[in-house]
Amino acid sequence: PHFEFGKTFAESHRLPEAAGEFSKALQFDPSNPNVRTNLGVVLFQMGRYEEAAQQFNYALQIDPTNPNAREGLVLAEARIKKIKPAGP
């Protein structure tokens, strides 16, 4: 039920609630790539790019063919690079 609640909150743009529900869903099924991808999307929308990238990476470790996780990771890493200054 937490995964479904998370999706409902995400669709209603209630992002903190969605993140909470997806996190609860992970407690019951930590190896579910769909939960991790959805949590990553919500974290990305909240501007928490490093946490989002971590969730996308976890999802890809479980399911390397997950196109949503791959796309999310690319987008999150691009945002992280924009925020962090380039090193020497």
Side-chain angles (χ1 to χ4, degrees):
H2 292 292
F3 180 70
E4 294 302 321
F5 288 149
K7 287 182 6 182
T8 300
F9 282 132
E11 290 167 2
S12 300
H13 303 286
R14 295 173 61 183
L15 302 179
E17 293 94 336
E21 291 299 325
F22 288 136
S23 294
K24 288 177 188 174
L26 283 178
Q27 292 175 6
F28 296 99
D29 192 3
S31 62
N32 186 323
N34 294 325
V35 175
R36 291 204 175 269
T37 300
N38 278 280
L39 177 57
V41 169
V42 168
L43 292 169
F44 182 90
Q45 291 173 335
M46 294 171 70
R48 294 164 57 181
Y49 305 120
E50 290 187 13
E51 293 171 79
Q54 185 178 38
Q55 292 303 320
F56 294 134
N57 268 318
Y58 287 145
L60 287 168
Q61 288 174 10
I62 299 162
D63 177 9
T65 65
N66 185 322
N68 295 327
R70 187 165 308 284
E71 179 182 353
L73 181 60
V74 169
L75 293 173
E77 287 179 342
R79 291 288 175 102
I80 292 166
K81 287 178 184 174
K82 282 186 179 181
I83 293 170
K84 291 186 177 180

